[in-house]
Amino acid sequence: MASEYDDCLLFLLAKAYQRVYGDFKKRMQPHGLTPVQHLVILALSLEEGVSAGELGKRLMLDNATLSGVLDRLSESGWVVKQSSQEDKRSLKLYLTDRARSNLELLKAESDDANRRVLDSFSLEERVIFKRLLKDLQK
Amino acid sequence: MASEYDDCLLFLLAKAYQRVYGDFKKRMQPHGLTPVQHLVILALSLEEGVSAGELGKRLMLDNATLSGVLDRLSESGWVVKQSSQEDKRSLKLYLTDRARSNLELLKAESDDANRRVLDSFSLEERVIFKRLLKDLQK
DNA sequence: GGCTGATAGTTAGCATACGAAATATAGGAG
DNA sequence: CTCCTATATTTCGTATGCTAACTATCAGCC
């Protein structure tokens, strides 16, 4: 039964996530980023100038959570929070030059971390695994 | 590339976990438990009288984290923290009568939540998914 | 203009997670 | 017995996540 805690998806997903989070954490630490902050940088690199709300939608991240993450990224010099001229309630988010110049390095780290996680899976398993995980995104 | 954040395992696992966590949260709320607290109860029901350290190993949970969870479970009347006679540094953990009498109900909720999560997966996919998740537990 | 309801972000409160420091107790060497 | 080291748990600091409450601003309507 799934009531055996170690067969429960809540448990399995928690531990899988925590393991991968830990891997990324070690890898991003030298760059001064947390795993989540690194995702924010990657997302922003795809399109700068978006609002916090828009970025939150793309990252499926709560506004309240993202607000704190953006504060820390701004504080540590990765992101610029510029309040929009057209709508003063809204922000326009940009990467700093330092963030841009570190982008390729970050992507390489991220790709490498992903490869290592999937290392023991067959090619087919990797495809299935990602598909099933995506299916779970409500 | 996995550097597209939405193809990154860190992202996929985070969102899958958050989705399932949310499902369990809604389901456990009426019982006055959080998803993690519910896992602790299930684990304890398999063997009572274990120490916090032992329980932490089984749940792959940090001692520091578990300490807080046990405090809240004790506070809310689900768990009894009894300090061990043989080794006063150590705890012996027990379910309360109330916890025991709610066990079957909790297991039913948990099983149902698990079923719903896997609902859209084929039988084969369910097996593969769980296997791959277990493989990720370092 | 001024009121009203909607929207963007922030803040506060709570519950995980985890590393590191602090506490209390065990256990063994001398 | 006493000191030293190892172990069990707790506490502290930081970073997510989420809900709800709060603030500022916008947009439409009279």
Tab-separated table of all heavy atoms in Angstrom, chain A residues 24 28 33-43 73 106-107 109-111 114, chain B residues 2-3 5 8 10:
chain	number	residue	atom	x	y	z
A	24	PHE	N	22.238	20.688	-6.846
A	24	PHE	CA	22.316	22.033	-7.431
A	24	PHE	C	22.862	23.038	-6.420
A	24	PHE	O	23.585	23.965	-6.773
A	24	PHE	CB	20.933	22.481	-7.930
A	24	PHE	CG	20.630	22.034	-9.333
A	24	PHE	CD1	20.168	20.753	-9.602
A	24	PHE	CD2	20.809	22.898	-10.413
A	24	PHE	CE1	19.897	20.329	-10.899
A	24	PHE	CE2	20.548	22.488	-11.725
A	24	PHE	CZ	20.082	21.208	-11.960
A	28	MET	N	25.887	25.489	-7.178
A	28	MET	CA	25.627	26.918	-7.359
A	28	MET	C	26.271	27.765	-6.265
A	28	MET	O	26.465	28.966	-6.442
A	28	MET	CB	24.116	27.182	-7.392
A	28	MET	CG	23.419	26.560	-8.592
A	28	MET	SD	24.139	27.154	-10.152
A	28	MET	CE	23.515	25.941	-11.326
A	33	LEU	N	24.805	31.638	-5.692
A	33	LEU	CA	23.377	31.530	-6.001
A	33	LEU	C	22.779	30.301	-5.327
A	33	LEU	O	23.464	29.308	-5.097
A	33	LEU	CB	23.176	31.386	-7.514
A	33	LEU	CG	23.394	32.612	-8.389
A	33	LEU	CD1	23.259	32.233	-9.849
A	33	LEU	CD2	22.388	33.710	-8.031
A	34	THR	N	21.492	30.378	-5.016
A	34	THR	CA	20.769	29.193	-4.571
A	34	THR	C	20.173	28.540	-5.816
A	34	THR	O	20.105	29.164	-6.880
A	34	THR	CB	19.626	29.570	-3.619
A	34	THR	OG1	18.662	30.333	-4.353
A	34	THR	CG2	20.138	30.376	-2.436
A	35	PRO	N	19.713	27.285	-5.685
A	35	PRO	CA	19.113	26.618	-6.843
A	35	PRO	C	17.938	27.399	-7.421
A	35	PRO	O	17.821	27.533	-8.650
A	35	PRO	CB	18.647	25.281	-6.253
A	35	PRO	CG	19.609	25.013	-5.143
A	35	PRO	CD	19.881	26.357	-4.543
A	36	VAL	N	17.088	27.924	-6.578
A	36	VAL	CA	15.930	28.666	-7.065
A	36	VAL	C	16.360	29.968	-7.728
A	36	VAL	O	15.844	30.335	-8.789
A	36	VAL	CB	14.931	28.942	-5.920
A	36	VAL	CG1	13.829	29.874	-6.371
A	36	VAL	CG2	14.342	27.625	-5.418
A	37	GLN	N	17.309	30.646	-7.114
A	37	GLN	CA	17.807	31.894	-7.704
A	37	GLN	C	18.368	31.623	-9.094
A	37	GLN	O	18.165	32.416	-10.021
A	37	GLN	CB	18.882	32.502	-6.796
A	37	GLN	CG	18.299	33.063	-5.495
A	37	GLN	CD	19.366	33.460	-4.500
A	37	GLN	OE1	20.564	33.377	-4.777
A	37	GLN	NE2	18.945	33.898	-3.320
A	38	HIS	N	19.037	30.500	-9.239
A	38	HIS	CA	19.606	30.124	-10.537
A	38	HIS	C	18.497	29.942	-11.576
A	38	HIS	O	18.641	30.350	-12.728
A	38	HIS	CB	20.463	28.860	-10.346
A	38	HIS	CG	20.295	27.817	-11.384
A	38	HIS	ND1	19.386	26.780	-11.239
A	38	HIS	CD2	20.889	27.641	-12.591
A	38	HIS	CE1	19.458	26.023	-12.320
A	38	HIS	NE2	20.351	26.505	-13.153
A	39	LEU	N	17.370	29.353	-11.159
A	39	LEU	CA	16.247	29.193	-12.093
A	39	LEU	C	15.696	30.551	-12.508
A	39	LEU	O	15.324	30.760	-13.668
A	39	LEU	CB	15.123	28.367	-11.452
A	39	LEU	CG	15.342	26.860	-11.306
A	39	LEU	CD1	14.158	26.214	-10.601
A	39	LEU	CD2	15.581	26.217	-12.670
A	40	VAL	N	15.637	31.469	-11.563
A	40	VAL	CA	15.133	32.808	-11.869
A	40	VAL	C	16.039	33.485	-12.897
A	40	VAL	O	15.552	34.088	-13.861
A	40	VAL	CB	15.034	33.665	-10.586
A	40	VAL	CG1	14.716	35.107	-10.927
A	40	VAL	CG2	13.975	33.083	-9.647
A	41	ILE	N	17.336	33.347	-12.705
A	41	ILE	CA	18.284	33.937	-13.659
A	41	ILE	C	18.084	33.339	-15.057
A	41	ILE	O	18.015	34.062	-16.054
A	41	ILE	CB	19.741	33.688	-13.203
A	41	ILE	CG1	19.989	34.272	-11.826
A	41	ILE	CG2	20.724	34.273	-14.227
A	41	ILE	CD1	20.033	35.754	-11.770
A	42	LEU	N	17.972	32.019	-15.113
A	42	LEU	CA	17.769	31.366	-16.410
A	42	LEU	C	16.480	31.840	-17.073
A	42	LEU	O	16.453	32.135	-18.273
A	42	LEU	CB	17.713	29.841	-16.252
A	42	LEU	CG	19.005	29.110	-15.897
A	42	LEU	CD1	18.826	27.606	-16.038
A	42	LEU	CD2	20.163	29.590	-16.765
A	43	ALA	N	15.421	31.934	-16.283
A	43	ALA	CA	14.137	32.352	-16.844
A	43	ALA	C	14.227	33.794	-17.351
A	43	ALA	O	13.725	34.125	-18.427
A	43	ALA	CB	13.038	32.220	-15.788
A	73	LEU	N	18.244	38.609	-4.968
A	73	LEU	CA	19.010	38.668	-6.221
A	73	LEU	C	19.410	40.107	-6.538
A	73	LEU	O	20.470	40.360	-7.119
A	73	LEU	CB	18.181	38.085	-7.373
A	73	LEU	CG	18.188	36.565	-7.465
A	73	LEU	CD1	17.216	36.078	-8.529
A	73	LEU	CD2	19.597	36.050	-7.769
A	106	LEU	N	26.757	29.477	-15.901
A	106	LEU	CA	25.630	28.936	-15.144
A	106	LEU	C	24.919	27.842	-15.930
A	106	LEU	O	24.577	26.789	-15.391
A	106	LEU	CB	24.624	30.037	-14.819
A	106	LEU	CG	24.963	30.989	-13.680
A	106	LEU	CD1	23.785	31.897	-13.402
A	106	LEU	CD2	25.338	30.204	-12.429
A	107	LYS	N	24.694	28.099	-17.196
A	107	LYS	CA	24.008	27.105	-18.023
A	107	LYS	C	24.818	25.820	-18.097
A	107	LYS	O	24.261	24.729	-18.048
A	107	LYS	CB	23.796	27.644	-19.440
A	107	LYS	CG	22.702	28.692	-19.552
A	107	LYS	CD	22.493	29.081	-21.017
A	107	LYS	CE	21.488	30.219	-21.153
A	107	LYS	NZ	21.333	30.635	-22.557
A	109	GLU	N	26.900	24.691	-15.819
A	109	GLU	CA	26.755	24.031	-14.530
A	109	GLU	C	25.425	23.302	-14.449
A	109	GLU	O	25.335	22.156	-14.022
A	109	GLU	CB	26.790	25.062	-13.387
A	109	GLU	CG	28.133	25.665	-13.122
A	109	GLU	CD	29.014	24.783	-12.248
A	109	GLU	OE1	28.775	23.567	-12.183
A	109	GLU	OE2	29.948	25.334	-11.659
A	110	SER	N	24.389	24.004	-14.859
A	110	SER	CA	23.041	23.461	-14.787
A	110	SER	C	22.917	22.216	-15.666
A	110	SER	O	22.415	21.182	-15.231
A	110	SER	CB	22.055	24.536	-15.232
A	110	SER	OG	20.737	24.141	-14.986
A	111	ASP	N	23.397	22.324	-16.903
A	111	ASP	CA	23.340	21.181	-17.811
A	111	ASP	C	24.091	19.994	-17.233
A	111	ASP	O	23.619	18.857	-17.271
A	111	ASP	CB	23.959	21.552	-19.166
A	111	ASP	CG	23.040	22.432	-19.991
A	111	ASP	OD1	21.859	22.558	-19.611
A	111	ASP	OD2	23.501	22.987	-21.000
A	114	ASN	N	22.179	18.412	-14.410
A	114	ASN	CA	21.074	17.620	-14.955
A	114	ASN	C	21.564	16.292	-15.522
A	114	ASN	O	20.949	15.250	-15.300
A	114	ASN	CB	20.355	18.407	-16.051
A	114	ASN	CG	19.244	19.275	-15.511
A	114	ASN	OD1	18.221	18.765	-15.077
A	114	ASN	ND2	19.455	20.571	-15.489
B	2	ALA	N	18.909	21.581	-21.101
B	2	ALA	CA	18.299	21.615	-19.775
B	2	ALA	C	18.439	23.004	-19.168
B	2	ALA	O	17.877	23.290	-18.128
B	2	ALA	CB	18.963	20.597	-18.874
B	3	SER	N	19.175	23.865	-19.827
B	3	SER	CA	19.335	25.218	-19.299
B	3	SER	C	18.083	26.051	-19.569
B	3	SER	O	17.918	27.121	-19.014
B	3	SER	CB	20.571	25.890	-19.901
B	3	SER	OG	20.498	25.848	-21.307
B	5	TYR	N	14.978	26.584	-18.314
B	5	TYR	CA	14.572	26.219	-16.955
B	5	TYR	C	13.458	25.190	-16.887
B	5	TYR	O	13.416	24.344	-16.020
B	5	TYR	CB	14.165	27.466	-16.182
B	5	TYR	CG	12.927	28.136	-16.727
B	5	TYR	CD1	11.685	27.780	-16.245
B	5	TYR	CD2	13.003	29.107	-17.727
B	5	TYR	CE1	10.543	28.365	-16.746
B	5	TYR	CE2	11.874	29.691	-18.234
B	5	TYR	CZ	10.644	29.322	-17.740
B	5	TYR	OH	9.518	29.880	-18.243
B	8	CYS	N	14.591	21.644	-16.882
B	8	CYS	CA	15.578	21.336	-15.853
B	8	CYS	C	14.922	20.460	-14.784
B	8	CYS	O	13.821	20.734	-14.325
B	8	CYS	CB	16.044	22.654	-15.240
B	8	CYS	SG	17.242	22.502	-13.918
B	10	LEU	N	15.563	20.109	-11.752
B	10	LEU	CA	15.313	20.850	-10.526
B	10	LEU	C	13.923	21.474	-10.579
B	10	LEU	O	13.149	21.389	-9.628
B	10	LEU	CB	16.364	21.952	-10.375
B	10	LEU	CG	16.207	22.884	-9.186
B	10	LEU	CD1	16.397	22.140	-7.886
B	10	LEU	CD2	17.196	24.041	-9.288
